[in-house]
Amino acid sequence: MAPPPLPLERYRSARGASLPERDWPMTPADKVALRAEMRRLRRDLGRTTGNAAILAASHVDQLPDAKVVAAYRAMGSELDPQPLAIALAAKGRTLCLPVVIDADTPMIFRRWSPGDPLEVDAAGCPAPLPLAEGVQPDLVLTPLLAFDDFGGRLGQGGGHYDRTFAVLAQAARIGLAFAGQRVERLPMESHDVRLHGVLTEVGYTPARKADPA
């Protein structure tokens, strides 16, 4: 069973105290504090939920249909997608990884299979070599620091996935996370792109439709 969402009240800007939940603002300082707290929480979850990646992979059949799936290489305490990638490959899915070529442009994707050689991209993340085939995924797995029931996602702040989602409008956007990273409704900015759902160790949950602003 998934744990209840974590409250965000203490990160709520004082100037938004009287606004509806969907409209309250989060200042840059609020986001810095929230990211720091969620990084700490994710590290703790990684230590206490050691089999979460394997459990998440066991729910592979709950994911939306896709032929080409973009995984990622876990950095730090991110939930490791390797078991899920192996499960997807066993079902005949083509896998790929994102590649940051330039910090301010959308990522590209190169075909990848577990065990293929990797090199560091412009963001410092492991990525397929330039000779790997370029592909366009129809499902993108994304790491995150926090998520909510409405497709809200709190990332590291670099904007790489939001810029990429904006140009891959037809691809399914799926977060991969520990169930304990779920929070109350995250405030969204104009450049933020909502997820279609999140896969955790307890299963896949489609995003609920957000109320109109």
Side-chain angles (χ1 to χ4, degrees):
M1 179 180 296
L6 300 173
L8 293 179
E9 185 63 32
R10 64 178 167 145
Y11 300 102
R12 185 171 182 170
S13 172
R15 63 190 174 90
S18 62
L19 294 173
E21 185 183 64
R22 67 172 180 266
D23 295 330
W24 66 268
M26 181 173 276
T27 67
D30 294 335
K31 280 196 170 183
V32 168
L34 179 57
R35 284 192 172 99
E37 176 67 13
M38 295 309 298
R39 287 189 185 100
R40 182 200 63 77
L41 174 63
R42 191 174 65 182
R43 286 194 298 269
D44 290 345
L45 290 168
R47 286 192 291 265
T48 59
T49 321
N51 63 342
I54 294 173
L55 290 174
S58 72
H59 303 296
V60 61
D61 289 333
Q62 297 179 17
L63 289 174
D65 289 336
K67 293 182 179 179
V68 182
V69 178
Y72 61 88
R73 296 292 289 177
M75 302 283 285
S77 60
E78 292 172 350
L79 184 59
D80 188 1
Q82 185 80 353
L84 179 59
I86 292 171
L88 287 163
K91 291 182 173 295
R93 307 298 189 268
T94 296
L95 300 177
C96 60
L97 290 178
V99 184
V100 176
I101 301 297
D102 182 270
D104 298 320
T105 60
M107 298 183 292
I108 65 170
F109 295 86
R110 292 175 182 156
R111 188 166 182 156
W112 166 80
S113 295
D116 284 355
L118 302 172
E119 66 178 15
V120 175
D121 67 8
C125 299
L129 304 180
L131 54 79
E133 177 188 2
V135 295
Q136 182 165 310
D138 43 22
L139 189 153
V140 179
L141 296 169
T142 175
L144 49 82
L145 289 171
F147 68 93
D148 66 22
D149 291 336
F150 302 92
R153 170 186 175 270
L154 181 71
Q156 296 284 0
H160 299 300
Y161 277 94
D162 283 322
R163 283 190 290 273
T164 304
F165 290 154
V167 299
L168 288 179
Q170 302 306 312
R173 304 179 292 272
I174 309 299
L176 184 61
F178 298 97
Q181 291 176 258
R182 176 173 165 244
V183 300
E184 293 178 344
R185 188 164 179 171
L186 289 162
M188 300 287 284
E189 299 183 46
S190 59
H191 61 270
D192 293 328
V193 181
R194 294 186 184 275
L195 301 174
H196 293 109
V198 176
L199 180 68
T200 73
E201 71 271 21
V202 300
Y204 175 70
T205 304
R208 294 165 54 188
K209 184 176 180 180
D211 298 331

